[in-house]
Amino acid sequence: MTSRFTELVVDCHDPQRLADFWCGVLDFTVLDRTADKVEIGSWEPTVTAVRAGQMPPTLLFIRVPERKTVKNRLHLDVSPIDATTDEEVARLLALGATLVDPGRSPDRTWTVMADPEGNEFDVLRTLATTTPDTTGAGTK
């Protein structure tokens, strides 16, 4: 017997706002929407596909009454695929992210950001093949 990782659930105050933000970050689309939840993903999950093998999980934003008050115990890491790390940080700031900690010291090469509700996430090194990463960033 086994299970599959199918969704990552994010409690939030405004599911649509966070879904819009993360769709912009990850180039995901909205898969399902109600008044209190929005699910986004890179593919349309089906029982057959999930049973066949591990697929990328969807993100599910669910409305809760309380706001975030402490640091995340779980966070996302993202890596730009067609820009430098600095260019991606600038793009995410324009989408509504905030800079928490620029990092990039000899022992830490990622940038800590927060989404519009304050959930921390990291921007790692670029994976672009034609654009050199001018940040000197390495792996996390």
Side-chain angles (χ1 to χ4, degrees):
M1 286 189 207
T2 190
S3 293
R4 297 279 190 245
F5 178 22
T6 55
E7 295 97 16
L8 177 63
V9 178
V10 178
D11 291 345
C12 61
H13 183 70
D14 186 344
Q16 187 59 58
R17 181 177 182 208
L18 281 190
D20 290 345
F21 173 79
W22 284 103
C23 279
V25 173
L26 300 170
D27 194 27
F28 280 15
T29 59
V30 173
L31 303 174
D32 188 35
R33 176 181 305 147
T34 67
D36 292 323
K37 69 177 182 171
V38 180
E39 184 175 16
I40 66 172
S42 62
W43 68 295
E44 185 71 38
T46 65
V47 171
T48 302
V50 171
R51 288 181 58 84
Q54 186 63 56
M55 302 296 282
T58 61
L59 292 175
L60 181 61
F61 301 97
I62 296 180
R63 185 182 317 278
V64 296
E66 63 275 3
R67 294 194 183 267
K68 180 182 176 301
T69 58
V70 297
K71 183 180 182 295
N72 297 15
R73 294 294 303 251
L74 175 74
H75 67 266
L76 300 180
D77 287 348
V78 300
S79 297
I81 59 168
D82 56 6
T84 68
T85 303
D86 287 338
E87 290 168 337
E88 183 66 355
V89 167
R91 185 181 79 85
L92 300 180
L93 289 169
L95 286 174
T98 56
L99 189 60
V100 175
D101 185 346
R104 302 215 189 112
S105 63
D107 62 333
R108 197 176 83 188
T109 57
W110 59 93
T111 299
V112 181
M113 301 187 81
D115 71 16
E117 289 201 11
N119 300 301
E120 296 89 1
F121 66 96
D122 296 337
V123 179
L124 306 182
R125 77 213 173 279
T126 184
L127 301 177
T129 57
T130 58
T131 306
D133 185 357
T134 59
T135 66
T139 59
K140 181 176 177 187

